[in-house]
Amino acid sequence: MRGRTQGIALLSVLLAAGVVAPPAAAQTAAAAHQAAPKRTAACQGDWLPATPTSEDIMAGKLEFVGLPAVTVGQDVNWHTNPYRNRSWGMVFHSLRWMGRLVADYETSGNEKYLARAIEVAKDWVADNPRGGRGTDQYAWAEHPVALRAPALVCLSMHVNADWLKRSLAEHAKVLANPALYEKGHNHGLDQDIGLLGIGCRYRQSKWSGLAVRRMTSSARLAIDSQGALQEQAPRYGVYVYERMAVAIEKIKDCGLKVPAELTRRWNSLASYITHATQPNGNMVAIGDGGPDVRPAGYDHDKQKVKVFHQAGYVFGRTAWDKPESAYYSIRFGPGLKYHGHEDHLGVTYYAQGRDVLVDVGFHSYEKSAYRYWTMSPEAHNVPVIAGARFRPHTASKLTRARLGTQRQTYKLTDNAYGVRRTRSVLVNHGDDLMAVLDTAPKGSRLRNLWHFPADLKVLSNGGGRIVLGAQGGASDGKDGDGGRDWRVSLVQLAMPSCTPVGGQSVKIGQTSPFQGWVSPAYMRKEKAPAVVSPEAGALLTVIVPGTDAPDVSCSGGKVTVHTAGGKVSFRASGSGDLS
């Protein structure tokens, strides 16, 4: 263990408050063992992760972010990161696993848990001085600091030691620093929770008051008036909702008044979360969020179609609480930030109990070629202007939305390739169908990409029609189609002639460049079919679930499609509109 010189200045605030005794009268950790443990609000609750368990930690086994457990010694090497994984390093240095020991000490009375927690925390403090030459890169990164503070506060409920108080004072200094504050971001919320906890523990109103004020103003930035989180990944709506619940409870525990605006923004998030959840219970995989996220316990409203105008989402469904109902999403709005991807004008589609069109999803935060590909337009169901350079962080607009009961149509546009690209989307319910009309400006041509889930296999490809299929009924295990093999067809027509256009290519598991993959969960990827269209000035793509023979005909701008349920007609205009 490396020694550390502690500065008297760091103790000044706590000494003035009378909460740090002079060294001669300092309490030792052994004093904590003399009294029976009691449960404390600082240690109990849902803020601690389920893994690793206290038994695992006592055995030296640490399992983080779904990766195999790592063995650490009694004297922890704080540079440990065998997977060279950013998330693993952050969780390791958050010390929330140490907090698990203290929480379980409170409930079990097992003093070995507390003793080990003290060893771990004291060793971390000694080995990771802020700015020290040997301090690990993740030790004082802003998010580990925010998450570690509540764990150390929890420990302080049973340990009255100067080294711990000094460390908490330094944590408060870092958390209160406006230059390090992540306003409008989930990390900022965690910073405020950490600062609030320290302020309340040591009755420092300047810290607790600052935390509550920042939390409220940050919530106004992070959550818009419709309840949508601005981080561009719906799964973070779940995280922020849960962390705001923790924050509100901590404010109450501190004896402070919960700001009404904070409560209102928190409550409004539920609508965003439920609308971004597919009929099968999985959250739609938009931005840094995988398809394995399953929100639970949120009440939905009655609205079946919701347009989040400021955040840039459309979520639509045919019914609530029915796994076999249809569902779709559309992306537009502000340019990429935080946890977003370059997915503007992109769509997803779910019908007949199955994923039909999907985003590739979220793999990890590792700086890899695959990660960057998952964020690119080519990993989404979007139009791409041929031969033009993509301009990152470009905003897009929803210029029209017509919301009928059985049919909705939308028109979107942007200049992400230096020229205007336009997409119109029509979704028909009952007789399930999605039609997408992509248009490039005169003198330009486009192609589009369509990503299908890994359980669908390409059965045929020719004449502008691709048929994919899977065995059995609906993907949720229910016999949504009577147990028969299921099919979906993609038909493409050149516009305005409305003639079939062939030459589609199917990419599966390609690595140079990446194409034909999906990420079903963290650090996982699977081969999956991706359809790349030929180039054209305008392309009409029709997705028809439940059939391998969707007869498509055109007459005078009217398109007629024979779906699995019956005949559907719509109009495709020369100006790029669908109706």
Side-chain angles (χ1 to χ4, degrees):
M1 180 186 298
R2 298 188 301 275
R4 180 182 178 189
T5 301
Q6 301 289 354
I8 302 240
L10 290 173
L11 279 169
S12 59
V13 173
L14 298 182
L15 281 167
V19 297
V20 177
Q27 298 278 345
T28 66
H33 298 266
Q34 297 174 2
K38 65 177 182 178
R39 299 188 182 192
T40 64
C43 295
Q44 300 302 312
D46 296 331
W47 64 278
L48 288 170
T51 57
T53 65
S54 288
E55 291 77 8
D56 292 335
I57 298 167
M58 296 300 290
K61 304 290 186 181
L62 301 184
E63 179 185 342
F64 303 138
V65 298
L67 296 172
V70 173
T71 301
V72 296
Q74 189 74 12
D75 185 6
V76 178
N77 177 0
W78 294 106
H79 293 287
T80 299
N81 192 345
Y83 302 108
R84 298 183 179 180
N85 182 286
R86 299 171 68 197
S87 297
W88 198 99
M90 182 272 291
V91 175
F92 183 46
H93 280 275
S94 76
L95 294 191
R96 294 208 290 177
W97 52 280
M98 178 277 297
R100 167 55 60 196
L101 287 171
V102 186
D104 288 352
Y105 160 71
E106 289 188 348
T107 58
S108 70
N110 188 337
E111 294 193 359
K112 291 182 179 179
Y113 289 168
L114 180 61
R116 182 56 178 155
I118 295 170
E119 288 178 347
V120 167
K122 192 171 185 179
D123 189 55
W124 185 93
V125 169
D127 287 3
N128 292 283
R130 189 159 75 99
R133 292 179 62 183
T135 297
D136 188 82
Q137 63 175 324
Y138 294 108
W140 289 94
E142 45 85 15
H143 206 201
V145 172
L147 297 177
R148 187 170 56 244
L152 294 176
V153 168
C154 168
L155 181 63
S156 78
M157 304 305 294
H158 303 279
V159 176
N160 186 23
D162 286 351
W163 65 264
L164 181 55
K165 292 170 183 174
R166 282 192 291 264
S167 184
L168 281 166
E170 187 159 15
H171 277 70
K173 179 181 177 181
V174 172
L175 292 169
N177 187 341
L180 302 176
Y181 182 57
E182 297 284 346
K183 188 173 184 178
H185 190 276
N186 70 83
H187 289 194
L189 175 59
D190 286 331
Q191 289 172 310
D192 287 329
I193 292 172
L195 184 61
L196 174 67
I198 300 172
C200 292
R201 176 70 179 92
Y202 295 114
R203 299 184 180 89
Q204 291 295 305
S205 60
K206 70 173 184 178
W207 291 340
S208 56
L210 173 63
V212 174
R213 290 192 301 274
R214 289 193 320 191
M215 203 180 292
T216 305
S217 62
S218 187
R220 292 191 185 99
L221 284 179
I223 305 165
D224 69 22
S225 59
Q226 289 185 288
L229 189 71
Q230 302 303 294
E231 296 198 31
Q232 299 186 348
R235 83 158 169 123
Y236 274 92
V238 178
Y239 180 80
V240 170
Y241 184 93
E242 292 175 349
R243 295 299 286 163
M244 287 185 77
V246 169
I248 289 170
E249 193 63 31
K250 295 293 184 185
I251 294 172
K252 293 177 181 177
D253 291 340
C254 195
L256 301 175
K257 183 179 179 181
V258 179
E261 179 69 1
L262 187 65
T263 301
R264 189 182 74 80
R265 298 280 172 167
W266 173 59
N267 286 331
S268 70
L269 263 177
S271 174
Y272 172 65
I273 292 168
T274 55
H275 280 283
T277 302
Q278 298 183 147
N280 61 358
N282 295 333
M283 184 160 269
V284 63
I286 293 175
D288 286 341
D292 57 337
V293 179
R294 294 183 63 84
Y298 297 92
D299 294 329
H300 61 75
D301 53 33
K302 295 181 180 179
Q303 194 173 356
K304 296 176 185 176
V305 180
K306 182 84 169 183
V307 180
F308 289 92
H309 293 278
Q310 181 178 333
Y313 300 94
V314 178
F315 300 119
R317 70 186 69 230
T318 55
W320 289 100
D321 306 319
K322 292 183 178 181
E324 71 278 8
S325 60
Y327 176 92
Y328 63 93
S329 73
I330 306 174
R331 279 287 285 130
F332 64 99
L336 181 149
K337 63 179 180 178
Y338 297 141
H339 292 287
H341 291 182
E342 296 289 5
D343 55 7
H344 284 193
L345 278 62
V347 301
T348 69
Y349 191 31
Y350 175 100
Q352 300 173 12
R354 285 187 173 276
D355 283 315
V356 180
L357 295 174
V358 299
D359 266 2
V360 163
F362 167 68
H363 179 261
S364 71
Y365 295 114
E366 301 311 296
K367 297 179 179 179
S368 67
Y370 182 79
R371 156 69 170 168
Y372 294 132
W373 172 72
T374 66
M375 299 174 65
S376 73
E378 284 74 14
H380 302 87
N381 303 306
V382 299
V384 174
I385 302 295
R389 178 176 295 181
F390 178 70
R391 303 192 302 182
H393 306 280
T394 300
S396 58
K397 294 181 179 180
L398 175 66
T399 60
R400 193 191 70 192
R402 295 176 180 171
L403 311 181
T405 303
Q406 294 299 314
R407 176 176 293 183
Q408 296 93 48
T409 60
Y410 308 91
K411 192 170 185 178
L412 311 99
T413 187
D414 68 18
N415 294 297
Y417 289 87
V419 296
R420 186 181 182 87
R421 61 171 180 168
T422 302
R423 165 165 280 189
S424 291
V425 181
L426 178 150
V427 185
N428 196 80
H429 300 311
D431 298 330
D432 293 321
L433 175 148
M434 174 182 277
V436 179
L437 178 56
D438 292 321
T439 307
K442 187 176 181 180
S444 297
R445 294 171 70 81
L446 60 78
R447 54 185 172 83
N448 49 35
L449 302 104
W450 305 98
H451 296 270
F452 292 88
D455 66 337
L456 293 182
K457 310 302 178 187
V458 176
L459 304 179
S460 65
N461 177 8
R465 175 181 298 176
I466 295 180
V467 177
L468 303 95
Q471 294 182 344
S475 58
D476 61 359
K478 299 181 180 180
D479 289 333
D481 59 1
R484 294 178 289 106
D485 290 349
W486 188 83
R487 303 287 184 262
V488 59
S489 297
L490 178 151
V491 179
Q492 291 198 307
L493 306 165
M495 300 301 285
S497 63
C498 206
T499 55
V501 54
Q504 289 78 9
S505 62
V506 178
K507 310 293 185 181
I508 302 175
Q510 179 179 289
T511 58
S512 184
F514 283 106
Q515 194 53 270
W517 298 89
V518 294
S519 288
Y522 180 72
M523 293 294 289
R524 287 178 55 196
K525 64 178 185 284
E526 295 179 352
K527 296 178 181 180
V531 176
V532 182
S533 79
E535 294 179 8
L539 276 173
L540 174 64
T541 305
V542 184
I543 308 292
V544 191
T547 181
D548 57 2
D551 182 39
V552 181
S553 60
C554 300
S555 178
K558 181 180 179 181
V559 182
T560 301
V561 182
H562 291 271
T563 72
K567 186 170 67 174
V568 174
S569 295
F570 59 89
R571 300 197 69 83
S573 73
S575 59
D577 295 323
L578 295 176
S579 60

